[in-house]
Amino acid sequence: MEAAKQAILDLAIVGGTVHVPAGPVQLDVGVKDGGVVALVSPGTLPPALRTIDAKGLDVLPGLWHVHVHFREPGHTYKEDFLSGTTAAALGGITCCLDMTNNDPHPTTRDTFALKREQVAGKALIDYGLYGGGLYPKTVADLAKDGAIAIKVFNTRHVKEVYPYISELGVVDHGILYEIFEAVADAGLVCSVHHDDSEWCKRLTFRDYIDQGKTTVGDYFDCYAKGYMYGHGMVAGLAASLYYARLTKVPLHVLHLGVMPAGANEMIRHAKRALGQDVTAEMESAALFMTRAQADKVGPNAYLWAYDAETHWQSVLDGTADMLVGEHAPHTFEETKAGWQDNFSVPLGITGAQEFIPLVLSAVNAGRLTLTDVARLCAEAPARRFGQYPKKGRIAIGSDGDFTIVNMRQRTTFTREKMATRSGHTSWEGVEVTAMPVYTIVRGKPVMEMGKVTGTAGYGQMMRGVAALRP
Protein backbone atom coordinates (compact mmCIF):
# COMPACT_ATOMS: atom_id res chain seq x y z
CA MET A 1 0.00 0.00 0.00
CA GLU A 2 2.83 2.38 0.87
CA ALA A 3 4.55 1.69 -2.48
CA ALA A 4 1.31 2.47 -4.30
CA LYS A 5 1.08 5.82 -2.53
CA GLN A 6 4.61 6.71 -3.57
CA ALA A 7 4.24 5.58 -7.20
CA ILE A 8 4.12 8.35 -9.77
CA LEU A 9 3.85 6.10 -12.83
CA ASP A 10 1.44 3.29 -13.61
CA LEU A 11 3.99 1.38 -15.70
CA ALA A 12 7.74 1.54 -16.21
CA ILE A 13 9.57 -0.34 -18.96
CA VAL A 14 13.27 -0.39 -18.18
CA GLY A 15 16.47 -1.75 -19.66
CA GLY A 16 15.25 -2.34 -23.21
CA THR A 17 16.14 -1.05 -26.65
CA VAL A 18 13.30 1.35 -27.41
CA HIS A 19 12.34 2.04 -31.02
CA VAL A 20 11.34 5.70 -31.10
CA PRO A 21 10.69 7.53 -34.43
CA ALA A 22 14.36 8.51 -34.68
CA GLY A 23 15.50 4.90 -34.31
CA PRO A 24 16.56 2.45 -31.60
CA VAL A 25 17.90 3.93 -28.35
CA GLN A 26 18.50 2.83 -24.78
CA LEU A 27 15.73 4.55 -22.84
CA ASP A 28 13.37 3.81 -20.01
CA VAL A 29 9.68 4.44 -20.66
CA GLY A 30 7.10 5.71 -18.21
CA VAL A 31 3.33 5.44 -18.66
CA LYS A 32 0.59 7.20 -16.71
CA ASP A 33 -3.17 7.15 -17.33
CA GLY A 34 -2.69 5.14 -20.51
CA GLY A 35 -0.19 7.49 -22.16
CA VAL A 36 3.58 7.87 -22.46
CA VAL A 37 4.78 10.56 -20.03
CA ALA A 38 8.51 9.82 -19.77
CA LEU A 39 11.35 8.75 -22.06
CA VAL A 40 14.50 9.07 -20.01
CA SER A 41 18.01 7.81 -19.57
CA PRO A 42 18.22 4.35 -18.02
CA GLY A 43 17.81 4.32 -14.25
CA THR A 44 16.20 7.76 -13.91
CA LEU A 45 12.47 6.99 -13.92
CA PRO A 46 10.37 7.81 -10.86
CA PRO A 47 8.62 4.96 -8.99
CA ALA A 48 5.92 2.95 -10.79
CA LEU A 49 3.16 0.60 -9.73
CA ARG A 50 4.48 -1.98 -12.20
CA THR A 51 7.95 -2.31 -13.70
CA ILE A 52 8.81 -4.54 -16.67
CA ASP A 53 12.46 -5.47 -17.03
CA ALA A 54 13.10 -5.38 -20.79
CA LYS A 55 16.84 -6.05 -20.65
CA GLY A 56 17.86 -7.87 -23.82
CA LEU A 57 14.48 -7.13 -25.43
CA ASP A 58 13.30 -4.68 -28.08
CA VAL A 59 10.46 -2.31 -27.26
CA LEU A 60 8.49 -1.50 -30.41
CA PRO A 61 5.50 0.80 -30.78
CA GLY A 62 2.28 -1.17 -30.54
CA LEU A 63 1.98 -3.15 -33.78
CA TRP A 64 -1.15 -3.21 -35.92
CA HIS A 65 -2.99 -5.80 -37.95
CA VAL A 66 -5.10 -3.97 -40.52
CA HIS A 67 -6.82 -6.94 -42.20
CA VAL A 68 -8.68 -9.32 -39.90
CA HIS A 69 -11.99 -11.11 -40.34
CA PHE A 70 -13.28 -11.87 -36.85
CA ARG A 71 -16.59 -13.12 -38.32
CA GLU A 72 -18.86 -11.29 -35.88
CA PRO A 73 -21.78 -10.94 -36.31
CA GLY A 74 -23.17 -13.94 -38.14
CA HIS A 75 -20.39 -16.52 -38.28
CA THR A 76 -19.05 -16.68 -34.75
CA TYR A 77 -18.56 -20.46 -34.85
CA LYS A 78 -15.49 -19.65 -37.01
CA GLU A 79 -14.25 -16.72 -34.91
CA ASP A 80 -15.57 -13.96 -32.69
CA PHE A 81 -14.13 -10.76 -31.30
CA LEU A 82 -12.96 -12.36 -28.08
CA SER A 83 -11.18 -15.30 -29.70
CA GLY A 84 -9.84 -13.15 -32.53
CA THR A 85 -8.40 -10.43 -30.32
CA THR A 86 -7.01 -13.09 -27.98
CA ALA A 87 -5.08 -14.56 -30.92
CA ALA A 88 -3.95 -11.06 -31.91
CA ALA A 89 -2.78 -10.24 -28.39
CA LEU A 90 -0.79 -13.49 -28.25
CA GLY A 91 0.76 -12.44 -31.56
CA GLY A 92 1.91 -9.03 -30.33
CA ILE A 93 -0.88 -6.99 -31.93
CA THR A 94 -2.19 -3.93 -30.06
CA CYS A 95 -4.65 -2.63 -32.69
CA CYS A 96 -6.59 -4.35 -35.45
CA LEU A 97 -9.03 -3.37 -38.22
CA ASP A 98 -11.96 -5.73 -38.81
CA MET A 99 -13.54 -6.34 -42.20
CA THR A 100 -17.15 -6.34 -43.34
CA ASN A 101 -18.20 -9.71 -44.74
CA ASN A 102 -20.54 -10.36 -41.83
CA ASP A 103 -24.19 -11.28 -41.60
CA PRO A 104 -25.68 -8.74 -41.62
CA HIS A 105 -22.96 -6.76 -43.33
CA PRO A 106 -22.26 -3.31 -41.81
CA THR A 107 -23.30 -1.26 -44.83
CA THR A 108 -26.05 0.87 -43.26
CA ARG A 109 -26.35 2.91 -40.08
CA ASP A 110 -28.46 0.20 -38.43
CA THR A 111 -26.26 -2.77 -39.35
CA PHE A 112 -23.06 -0.90 -38.48
CA ALA A 113 -24.54 -0.01 -35.08
CA LEU A 114 -25.53 -3.64 -34.55
CA LYS A 115 -21.98 -4.80 -35.15
CA ARG A 116 -20.49 -2.02 -33.06
CA GLU A 117 -22.74 -2.90 -30.12
CA GLN A 118 -22.27 -6.66 -30.47
CA VAL A 119 -18.47 -6.57 -30.38
CA ALA A 120 -18.22 -3.94 -27.65
CA GLY A 121 -17.13 -5.54 -24.41
CA LYS A 122 -15.29 -8.43 -26.09
CA ALA A 123 -11.98 -7.09 -27.39
CA LEU A 124 -8.70 -7.44 -25.53
CA ILE A 125 -6.98 -4.90 -27.81
CA ASP A 126 -7.99 -1.68 -29.53
CA TYR A 127 -9.78 -1.99 -32.85
CA GLY A 128 -11.35 -0.18 -35.76
CA LEU A 129 -14.41 -1.27 -37.70
CA TYR A 130 -14.66 -0.92 -41.44
CA GLY A 131 -17.93 0.32 -42.86
CA GLY A 132 -19.11 -1.66 -45.86
CA GLY A 133 -19.03 0.17 -49.18
CA LEU A 134 -22.15 -0.96 -51.00
CA TYR A 135 -24.61 1.93 -51.04
CA PRO A 136 -23.20 5.39 -51.87
CA LYS A 137 -25.98 7.07 -49.90
CA THR A 138 -25.04 5.35 -46.60
CA VAL A 139 -21.34 6.25 -46.62
CA ALA A 140 -21.82 9.57 -44.84
CA ASP A 141 -23.72 7.91 -41.99
CA LEU A 142 -21.09 5.20 -41.59
CA ALA A 143 -18.39 7.87 -41.44
CA LYS A 144 -20.25 9.87 -38.79
CA ASP A 145 -20.86 6.75 -36.74
CA GLY A 146 -17.17 5.92 -36.45
CA ALA A 147 -16.16 3.72 -39.37
CA ILE A 148 -12.36 3.69 -39.53
CA ALA A 149 -12.58 3.53 -43.36
CA ILE A 150 -14.86 2.13 -46.06
CA LYS A 151 -14.20 -1.33 -47.53
CA VAL A 152 -15.35 -2.27 -51.03
CA PHE A 153 -15.42 -5.80 -52.42
CA ASN A 154 -14.89 -5.06 -56.12
CA THR A 155 -15.13 -8.82 -56.68
CA ARG A 156 -17.28 -11.93 -56.64
CA HIS A 157 -16.11 -15.49 -56.24
CA VAL A 158 -16.31 -17.58 -59.42
CA LYS A 159 -18.81 -19.93 -57.75
CA GLU A 160 -20.35 -17.38 -55.36
CA VAL A 161 -18.70 -19.05 -52.35
CA TYR A 162 -18.56 -17.33 -48.96
CA PRO A 163 -16.76 -15.21 -47.75
CA TYR A 164 -17.28 -13.18 -50.91
CA ILE A 165 -20.92 -12.50 -50.12
CA SER A 166 -22.45 -11.98 -53.54
CA GLU A 167 -24.54 -8.98 -52.57
CA LEU A 168 -21.45 -7.23 -51.19
CA GLY A 169 -19.73 -7.34 -54.58
CA VAL A 170 -19.51 -3.95 -56.29
CA VAL A 171 -18.70 -4.91 -59.87
CA ASP A 172 -20.61 -2.02 -61.48
CA HIS A 173 -18.00 0.68 -62.00
CA GLY A 174 -20.66 3.38 -61.96
CA ILE A 175 -21.60 2.41 -58.41
CA LEU A 176 -17.92 2.10 -57.50
CA TYR A 177 -17.36 5.64 -58.78
CA GLU A 178 -20.27 6.96 -56.70
CA ILE A 179 -18.92 5.21 -53.61
CA PHE A 180 -15.56 6.87 -54.25
CA GLU A 181 -17.29 10.25 -54.50
CA ALA A 182 -19.12 9.66 -51.22
CA VAL A 183 -16.01 8.47 -49.37
CA ALA A 184 -14.03 11.46 -50.64
CA ASP A 185 -16.80 13.79 -49.44
CA ALA A 186 -16.79 12.08 -46.04
CA GLY A 187 -13.02 12.48 -45.72
CA LEU A 188 -12.25 8.80 -45.19
CA VAL A 189 -10.02 6.26 -46.91
CA CYS A 190 -11.59 3.76 -49.29
CA SER A 191 -10.00 0.30 -49.14
CA VAL A 192 -10.69 -1.95 -52.12
CA HIS A 193 -10.35 -5.65 -52.90
CA HIS A 194 -10.00 -5.41 -56.68
CA ASP A 195 -10.90 -7.83 -59.44
CA ASP A 196 -12.33 -8.29 -62.90
CA SER A 197 -14.75 -10.98 -61.78
CA GLU A 198 -16.16 -11.96 -65.17
CA TRP A 199 -12.69 -12.36 -66.71
CA CYS A 200 -11.61 -14.50 -63.78
CA LYS A 201 -14.77 -16.60 -63.89
CA ARG A 202 -14.68 -17.23 -67.63
CA LEU A 203 -11.08 -18.39 -67.84
CA THR A 204 -11.22 -20.39 -64.61
CA PHE A 205 -14.26 -22.31 -65.80
CA ARG A 206 -12.85 -22.76 -69.31
CA ASP A 207 -9.47 -24.15 -68.32
CA TYR A 208 -10.17 -25.75 -64.95
CA ILE A 209 -13.69 -26.29 -63.62
CA ASP A 210 -15.21 -27.36 -66.96
CA GLN A 211 -12.24 -29.69 -67.47
CA GLY A 212 -12.79 -31.36 -64.10
CA LYS A 213 -9.51 -29.94 -62.79
CA THR A 214 -10.53 -28.85 -59.31
CA THR A 215 -8.09 -30.30 -56.74
CA VAL A 216 -5.91 -28.19 -54.49
CA GLY A 217 -3.03 -28.72 -56.90
CA ASP A 218 -5.17 -27.55 -59.80
CA TYR A 219 -6.19 -24.52 -57.79
CA PHE A 220 -2.56 -23.61 -57.11
CA ASP A 221 -1.86 -23.98 -60.82
CA CYS A 222 -4.78 -21.66 -61.53
CA TYR A 223 -3.13 -19.12 -59.22
CA ALA A 224 0.13 -19.47 -61.09
CA LYS A 225 -1.59 -18.67 -64.39
CA GLY A 226 -3.13 -15.61 -62.80
CA TYR A 227 -6.74 -16.67 -63.33
CA MET A 228 -7.87 -16.85 -59.71
CA TYR A 229 -7.14 -13.52 -58.04
CA GLY A 230 -4.41 -12.66 -60.48
CA HIS A 231 -4.42 -10.65 -63.66
CA GLY A 232 -8.08 -9.79 -63.16
CA MET A 233 -7.14 -8.11 -59.88
CA VAL A 234 -4.57 -5.96 -61.67
CA ALA A 235 -7.16 -5.02 -64.31
CA GLY A 236 -9.58 -4.06 -61.54
CA LEU A 237 -6.84 -2.05 -59.85
CA ALA A 238 -6.16 -0.15 -63.07
CA ALA A 239 -9.76 0.99 -63.31
CA SER A 240 -9.95 1.79 -59.61
CA LEU A 241 -6.79 3.89 -59.66
CA TYR A 242 -8.19 5.96 -62.51
CA TYR A 243 -11.60 6.49 -60.89
CA ALA A 244 -9.93 7.28 -57.57
CA ARG A 245 -7.80 9.89 -59.29
CA LEU A 246 -10.89 11.49 -60.83
CA THR A 247 -12.77 11.58 -57.53
CA LYS A 248 -9.69 12.41 -55.42
CA VAL A 249 -10.59 9.70 -52.92
CA PRO A 250 -7.72 8.43 -50.75
CA LEU A 251 -7.37 4.85 -52.03
CA HIS A 252 -5.99 1.96 -50.01
CA VAL A 253 -5.13 -1.13 -52.07
CA LEU A 254 -5.80 -4.46 -50.40
CA HIS A 255 -4.00 -7.70 -51.23
CA LEU A 256 -0.84 -6.42 -52.87
CA GLY A 257 1.18 -9.62 -52.97
CA VAL A 258 -1.85 -11.59 -54.05
CA MET A 259 -1.57 -9.79 -57.40
CA PRO A 260 1.07 -10.31 -60.08
CA ALA A 261 4.00 -7.93 -60.32
CA GLY A 262 2.19 -5.48 -62.61
CA ALA A 263 0.21 -4.21 -59.62
CA ASN A 264 3.42 -2.91 -58.05
CA GLU A 265 4.23 -0.98 -61.22
CA MET A 266 0.80 0.65 -61.34
CA ILE A 267 0.89 1.73 -57.70
CA ARG A 268 4.44 3.03 -58.03
CA HIS A 269 3.44 5.09 -61.07
CA ALA A 270 0.32 6.45 -59.36
CA LYS A 271 2.30 7.52 -56.32
CA ARG A 272 5.44 8.89 -57.89
CA ALA A 273 4.51 10.09 -61.35
CA LEU A 274 0.94 11.21 -60.67
CA GLY A 275 1.19 12.20 -57.01
CA GLN A 276 -1.97 10.26 -56.25
CA ASP A 277 -3.12 9.63 -52.67
CA VAL A 278 -2.80 5.86 -52.71
CA THR A 279 -1.41 3.38 -50.20
CA ALA A 280 -1.09 -0.40 -50.35
CA GLU A 281 -0.80 -3.26 -47.90
CA MET A 282 1.50 -6.14 -48.76
CA GLU A 283 -0.04 -9.53 -48.01
CA SER A 284 2.86 -11.16 -46.21
CA ALA A 285 1.52 -14.68 -46.78
CA ALA A 286 2.75 -14.18 -50.34
CA LEU A 287 6.23 -13.58 -48.94
CA PHE A 288 6.34 -16.42 -46.43
CA MET A 289 4.12 -19.26 -47.72
CA THR A 290 6.14 -21.93 -49.50
CA ARG A 291 4.75 -24.54 -51.88
CA ALA A 292 5.67 -27.27 -49.41
CA GLN A 293 3.69 -25.55 -46.66
CA ALA A 294 0.76 -24.93 -49.00
CA ASP A 295 0.73 -28.59 -49.99
CA LYS A 296 0.62 -29.50 -46.29
CA VAL A 297 -2.37 -27.30 -45.34
CA GLY A 298 -4.15 -27.34 -48.71
CA PRO A 299 -7.39 -25.32 -48.68
CA ASN A 300 -6.11 -23.35 -45.68
CA ALA A 301 -3.26 -21.72 -47.60
CA TYR A 302 -2.85 -18.72 -49.84
CA LEU A 303 -0.17 -19.54 -52.40
CA TRP A 304 -0.16 -16.24 -54.22
CA ALA A 305 3.51 -15.35 -54.47
CA TYR A 306 3.64 -14.83 -58.21
CA ASP A 307 6.94 -13.00 -57.79
CA ALA A 308 8.01 -12.86 -54.16
CA GLU A 309 11.23 -10.98 -54.88
CA THR A 310 9.36 -8.22 -56.73
CA HIS A 311 6.99 -7.94 -53.78
CA TRP A 312 9.89 -7.77 -51.33
CA GLN A 313 11.36 -4.95 -53.40
CA SER A 314 8.06 -3.09 -53.18
CA VAL A 315 8.17 -3.37 -49.41
CA LEU A 316 11.68 -1.95 -49.29
CA ASP A 317 11.18 0.87 -51.82
CA GLY A 318 7.92 2.17 -50.33
CA THR A 319 5.52 0.98 -53.01
CA ALA A 320 3.91 -1.10 -50.27
CA ASP A 321 3.21 1.07 -47.25
CA MET A 322 2.44 -1.60 -44.69
CA LEU A 323 2.50 -5.34 -44.07
CA VAL A 324 -0.44 -7.58 -43.20
CA GLY A 325 -0.88 -11.27 -42.54
CA GLU A 326 -4.53 -11.74 -43.37
CA HIS A 327 -6.63 -13.58 -40.82
CA ALA A 328 -9.62 -15.16 -42.59
CA PRO A 329 -10.49 -18.28 -40.58
CA HIS A 330 -12.83 -21.12 -41.51
CA THR A 331 -13.28 -24.48 -39.85
CA PHE A 332 -11.69 -27.69 -41.08
CA GLU A 333 -15.18 -29.05 -41.64
CA GLU A 334 -15.90 -26.26 -44.11
CA THR A 335 -12.66 -26.49 -46.02
CA LYS A 336 -11.84 -30.22 -46.08
CA ALA A 337 -13.79 -30.79 -49.31
CA GLY A 338 -11.33 -28.41 -50.95
CA TRP A 339 -8.74 -31.13 -51.29
CA GLN A 340 -10.91 -32.48 -54.13
CA ASP A 341 -12.73 -29.29 -55.20
CA ASN A 342 -10.97 -26.18 -53.96
CA PHE A 343 -13.11 -23.93 -56.17
CA SER A 344 -16.23 -24.76 -54.14
CA VAL A 345 -15.07 -24.07 -50.58
CA PRO A 346 -14.12 -20.92 -48.70
CA LEU A 347 -10.39 -20.24 -48.51
CA GLY A 348 -9.12 -20.19 -44.97
CA ILE A 349 -5.92 -18.65 -43.68
CA THR A 350 -4.90 -17.72 -40.17
CA GLY A 351 -2.59 -14.84 -39.37
CA ALA A 352 -3.65 -12.90 -36.28
CA GLN A 353 -1.32 -14.88 -34.01
CA GLU A 354 1.36 -15.79 -36.54
CA PHE A 355 1.85 -12.55 -38.53
CA ILE A 356 4.28 -10.67 -36.28
CA PRO A 357 6.48 -13.69 -35.42
CA LEU A 358 6.84 -14.36 -39.16
CA VAL A 359 7.81 -10.72 -39.76
CA LEU A 360 10.28 -10.76 -36.88
CA SER A 361 11.84 -13.91 -38.31
CA ALA A 362 12.31 -12.01 -41.58
CA VAL A 363 14.31 -9.47 -39.57
CA ASN A 364 16.55 -12.25 -38.28
CA ALA A 365 16.92 -13.48 -41.86
CA GLY A 366 18.14 -10.04 -42.97
CA ARG A 367 15.07 -9.13 -45.04
CA LEU A 368 13.96 -6.27 -42.79
CA THR A 369 15.13 -4.26 -39.80
CA LEU A 370 13.16 -3.59 -36.63
CA THR A 371 13.00 0.03 -37.78
CA ASP A 372 11.22 -1.24 -40.89
CA VAL A 373 8.82 -3.24 -38.72
CA ALA A 374 7.95 -0.18 -36.63
CA ARG A 375 7.27 1.78 -39.80
CA LEU A 376 5.37 -0.90 -41.72
CA CYS A 377 3.33 -2.33 -38.86
CA ALA A 378 2.76 0.68 -36.59
CA GLU A 379 3.51 4.13 -37.96
CA ALA A 380 2.17 3.67 -41.50
CA PRO A 381 -1.16 2.09 -40.45
CA ALA A 382 -1.71 4.70 -37.74
CA ARG A 383 -1.03 7.50 -40.22
CA ARG A 384 -3.23 6.08 -42.97
CA PHE A 385 -6.21 5.45 -40.75
CA GLY A 386 -6.06 8.75 -38.89
CA GLN A 387 -4.77 7.62 -35.48
CA TYR A 388 -1.26 9.09 -35.63
CA PRO A 389 0.44 10.46 -33.51
CA LYS A 390 -1.75 9.11 -30.71
CA LYS A 391 -0.87 5.65 -31.94
CA GLY A 392 1.90 4.30 -34.14
CA ARG A 393 4.90 5.68 -32.28
CA ILE A 394 6.64 5.79 -28.91
CA ALA A 395 6.70 9.45 -27.90
CA ILE A 396 5.54 11.71 -25.11
CA GLY A 397 1.79 12.12 -25.39
CA SER A 398 1.20 8.96 -27.42
CA ASP A 399 -0.82 6.02 -26.13
CA GLY A 400 1.16 3.54 -24.07
CA ASP A 401 0.98 0.84 -26.76
CA PHE A 402 4.02 -1.42 -26.99
CA THR A 403 4.99 -4.72 -28.53
CA ILE A 404 8.04 -6.01 -26.67
CA VAL A 405 9.89 -8.73 -28.57
CA ASN A 406 12.58 -11.28 -27.91
CA MET A 407 14.59 -11.63 -31.10
CA ARG A 408 16.15 -14.89 -29.89
CA GLN A 409 13.07 -16.82 -28.81
CA ARG A 410 12.13 -19.66 -31.14
CA THR A 411 8.84 -21.49 -31.39
CA THR A 412 7.04 -23.79 -33.78
CA PHE A 413 3.44 -23.10 -34.74
CA THR A 414 1.02 -25.91 -33.96
CA ARG A 415 -2.76 -25.96 -33.81
CA GLU A 416 -2.63 -26.63 -30.06
CA LYS A 417 -1.02 -23.22 -29.50
CA MET A 418 -3.60 -21.25 -31.46
CA ALA A 419 -6.39 -19.19 -29.88
CA THR A 420 -8.50 -18.95 -33.04
CA ARG A 421 -11.86 -20.71 -32.91
CA SER A 422 -11.10 -22.27 -36.29
CA GLY A 423 -8.87 -24.71 -34.41
CA HIS A 424 -5.90 -24.75 -36.77
CA THR A 425 -3.06 -22.71 -38.23
CA SER A 426 -2.08 -22.24 -41.86
CA TRP A 427 1.49 -22.27 -40.60
CA GLU A 428 1.39 -25.70 -38.93
CA GLY A 429 4.93 -26.90 -38.26
CA VAL A 430 6.63 -23.62 -39.29
CA GLU A 431 9.42 -22.52 -36.94
CA VAL A 432 9.91 -18.84 -36.20
CA THR A 433 13.05 -17.36 -34.69
CA ALA A 434 11.62 -14.42 -32.71
CA MET A 435 8.50 -13.82 -30.64
CA PRO A 436 6.51 -11.04 -28.98
CA VAL A 437 6.74 -11.45 -25.21
CA TYR A 438 4.59 -8.51 -24.06
CA THR A 439 1.58 -6.90 -25.71
CA ILE A 440 0.74 -3.65 -23.93
CA VAL A 441 -2.34 -1.57 -24.76
CA ARG A 442 -2.65 1.91 -23.24
CA GLY A 443 -0.26 0.98 -20.47
CA LYS A 444 -1.87 -2.35 -19.59
CA PRO A 445 -0.19 -5.65 -20.43
CA VAL A 446 -2.73 -7.91 -22.15
CA MET A 447 -0.19 -10.63 -22.99
CA GLU A 448 2.88 -11.55 -20.96
CA MET A 449 5.32 -14.27 -21.90
CA GLY A 450 2.80 -16.16 -24.01
CA LYS A 451 -0.03 -15.90 -21.49
CA VAL A 452 -3.13 -13.73 -21.89
CA THR A 453 -3.42 -11.31 -18.97
CA GLY A 454 -5.94 -8.87 -20.40
CA THR A 455 -9.69 -8.93 -19.98
CA ALA A 456 -12.52 -8.88 -22.49
CA GLY A 457 -13.80 -5.38 -23.05
CA TYR A 458 -10.56 -3.55 -22.28
CA GLY A 459 -10.01 -2.90 -25.98
CA GLN A 460 -11.56 0.32 -27.25
CA MET A 461 -12.99 1.14 -30.66
CA MET A 462 -10.85 3.61 -32.60
CA ARG A 463 -13.22 6.01 -34.33
CA GLY A 464 -12.44 7.16 -37.84
CA VAL A 465 -11.36 10.74 -38.51
CA ALA A 466 -14.79 11.76 -39.85
CA ALA A 467 -16.38 10.94 -36.48
CA LEU A 468 -13.70 12.87 -34.59
CA ARG A 469 -14.34 16.16 -36.32
CA PRO A 470 -16.44 18.75 -34.41
Side-chain angles (χ1 to χ4, degrees):
M1 182 66 72
E2 187 63 30
K5 289 181 180 178
Q6 295 177 353
I8 296 174
L9 300 172
D10 297 325
L11 177 68
I13 303 171
V14 303
T17 300
V18 180
H19 292 259
V20 298
V25 289
Q26 295 298 128
L27 289 174
D28 290 349
V29 185
V31 180
K32 180 75 173 177
D33 297 328
V36 178
V37 296
L39 289 168
V40 298
S41 299
T44 61
L45 278 178
L49 290 173
R50 169 80 190 274
T51 298
I52 292 176
D53 183 357
K55 183 178 180 180
L57 305 176
D58 286 272
V59 182
L60 298 171
L63 302 180
W64 287 49
H65 196 312
V66 297
H67 200 128
V68 299
H69 297 264
F70 286 160
R71 307 302 189 201
E72 189 165 6
H75 302 277
T76 52
Y77 66 93
K78 305 173 192 280
E79 197 76 281
D80 60 26
F81 245 70
L82 176 57
S83 62
T85 58
T86 298
L90 288 167
I93 301 296
T94 63
C95 306
C96 62
L97 303 187
D98 188 62
M99 293 294 175
T100 63
N101 44 345
N102 307 127
D103 185 11
H105 41 70
T107 52
T108 69
R109 169 164 274 179
D110 288 345
T111 54
F112 185 81
L114 184 150
K115 176 170 180 172
R116 187 181 60 213
E117 292 160 9
Q118 186 164 323
V119 305
K122 295 183 179 180
L124 273 71
I125 63 174
D126 289 347
Y127 60 94
L129 299 179
Y130 267 104
L134 183 60
Y135 311 114
K137 65 182 180 181
T138 68
V139 166
D141 285 339
L142 297 173
K144 291 174 185 175
D145 290 349
I148 197 77
I150 301 298
K151 160 72 179 286
V152 176
F153 280 97
N154 174 224
T155 185
R156 284 182 179 155
H157 189 274
V158 295
K159 296 187 78 172
E160 306 290 336
V161 172
Y162 180 87
Y164 302 113
I165 299 172
S166 297
E167 64 185 89
L168 266 180
V170 178
V171 295
D172 182 321
H173 282 167
I175 296 175
L176 180 65
Y177 187 89
E178 290 182 354
I179 292 172
F180 282 179
E181 289 180 318
V183 177
D185 288 344
L188 287 183
V189 171
C190 195
S191 299
V192 182
H193 176 147
H194 297 97
D195 208 356
D196 182 337
S197 299
E198 292 306 313
W199 183 92
C200 173
K201 182 176 182 178
R202 185 175 184 87
L203 296 185
T204 298
F205 267 85
R206 185 192 72 182
D207 290 358
Y208 289 90
I209 297 173
D210 288 345
Q211 303 296 323
K213 298 162 62 176
T214 62
T215 67
V216 166
D218 294 325
Y219 200 84
F220 291 163
D221 185 63
C222 193
Y223 283 160
K225 284 191 176 177
Y227 290 176
M228 290 294 292
Y229 312 118
H231 301 305
M233 294 186 79
V234 182
L237 171 64
S240 186
L241 283 168
Y242 189 73
Y243 294 136
R245 187 180 175 203
L246 291 178
T247 58
K248 296 182 171 57
V249 69
L251 179 67
H252 184 64
V253 179
L254 305 174
H255 298 301
L256 187 62
V258 173
M259 304 183 218
N264 298 280
E265 298 164 6
M266 287 182 183
I267 293 168
R268 193 175 293 118
H269 176 74
K271 283 183 171 187
R272 298 178 184 175
L274 303 178
Q276 192 168 339
D277 186 356
V278 56
T279 52
E281 58 186 52
M282 177 61 71
E283 174 49 69
S284 63
L287 307 177
F288 301 135
M289 181 65 71
T290 65
R291 180 58 189 259
Q293 183 65 21
D295 286 340
K296 180 192 297 185
V297 298
N300 297 301
Y302 287 179
L303 190 65
W304 283 337
Y306 292 96
D307 188 346
E309 289 306 315
T310 296
H311 293 319
W312 271 116
Q313 182 57 40
S314 289
V315 171
L316 297 175
D317 70 15
T319 302
D321 299 87
M322 59 197 76
L323 289 171
V324 302
E326 184 176 4
H327 184 70
H330 299 284
T331 67
F332 266 143
E333 192 65 29
E334 291 174 303
T335 62
K336 66 181 182 181
W339 289 99
Q340 297 305 315
D341 183 2
N342 211 33
F343 295 93
S344 298
V345 299
L347 300 179
I349 189 168
T350 62
Q353 194 167 334
E354 305 97 326
F355 166 49
I356 293 303
L358 287 165
V359 171
L360 296 175
S361 296
V363 173
N364 282 340
R367 283 287 192 174
L368 299 166
T369 67
L370 286 176
T371 299
D372 293 328
V373 175
R375 171 176 54 86
L376 293 162
C377 301
E379 180 181 345
R383 284 186 182 277
R384 189 49 163 168
F385 295 101
Q387 306 300 311
Y388 189 87
K390 185 180 181 184
K391 293 187 180 294
R393 66 173 188 166
I394 299 175
I396 303 297
S398 295
D399 281 357
D401 295 347
F402 311 97
T403 303
I404 303 179
V405 303
N406 184 340
M407 296 302 293
R408 296 172 300 282
Q409 181 173 322
R410 291 176 175 264
T411 196
T412 299
F413 293 134
T414 64
R415 60 185 303 176
E416 292 78 15
K417 297 176 182 177
M418 298 295 114
T420 173
R421 294 195 74 179
S422 66
H424 68 94
T425 171
S426 301
W427 307 94
E428 182 72 36
V430 171
E431 184 185 46
V432 290
T433 62
M435 285 293 292
V437 290
Y438 289 92
T439 304
I440 301 170
V441 180
R442 288 175 282 106
K444 179 180 175 62
V446 297
M447 183 278 285
E448 303 180 45
M449 299 297 177
K451 304 294 183 183
V452 172
T453 55
T455 56
Y458 178 72
Q460 295 180 351
M461 177 176 162
M462 301 178 293
R463 291 157 57 84
V465 292
L468 298 176
R469 298 189 190 103

